[in-house]
Amino acid sequence: MKLISLFLTLLFNFSPLFASDYILEFQANVKIIKEYKISDIEKFRSYELQGTFTDKFGNYGKFEGIVTSDVKDGKLIKLEGTAKNTYSNKEIIYLKAYRKESDFDAGVANAKIIGASEKLKPLIGTECIQSVRYFEDTIFGLQKCNIPEKLNNLLRE
């Protein structure tokens, strides 16, 4: 039993060594769909994102998403979004992102791949971190996903 416990401990401690960072940069125009001023200090906003992306393997494509947010006293209370990345080779990845309690115009979100075209389905469940900054009606973002080394070839083609 101790041997199994030791093996599992080593496996989990060294499993990041068998993964690599998948870096994707994206930019998008922001279009407010609906905004409710709930009170003088609180509002709800939904908006649409339309843009492009490139990744560390030289892939490129279109990025689109729908985001909802709750803001109070100029601070973000909660943000949730779902995005679709369509690669130039027509492969698709869907992501869901969450961000809580941060500045409204910049922040870091947790994201997860929740769907994909047939070839990229093995990536479903992959967790990512996104960093986003806003400038007027445009966002600039960086996404880093920890993808198992054996799945990198899915994105290299």
Side-chain angles (χ1 to χ4, degrees), residues 26 76 78-79 97-111 128-134 140-144:
F26 59 94
L76 181 72
K78 180 177 81 170
L79 178 139
Y98 308 91
R99 182 161 58 115
K100 290 199 270 186
E101 300 175 1
S102 67
D103 291 332
F104 183 70
D105 61 348
V108 176
N110 293 316
C128 308
I129 296 174
Q130 294 179 337
S131 171
V132 176
R133 292 193 75 48
Y134 290 80
F140 299 88
L142 186 64
Q143 178 179 295
K144 178 179 149 185

Side-chain angles (χ1 to χ4, degrees), residues 13 15 26 46 49 71 76 83 85 105 107 111-112 116-117 119 141-142:
N13 285 333
S15 62
F26 59 94
S46 64
L49 308 174
V71 178
L76 181 72
N85 290 347
D105 61 348
K112 188 179 218 178
S117 54
K119 176 185 168 189
L142 186 64

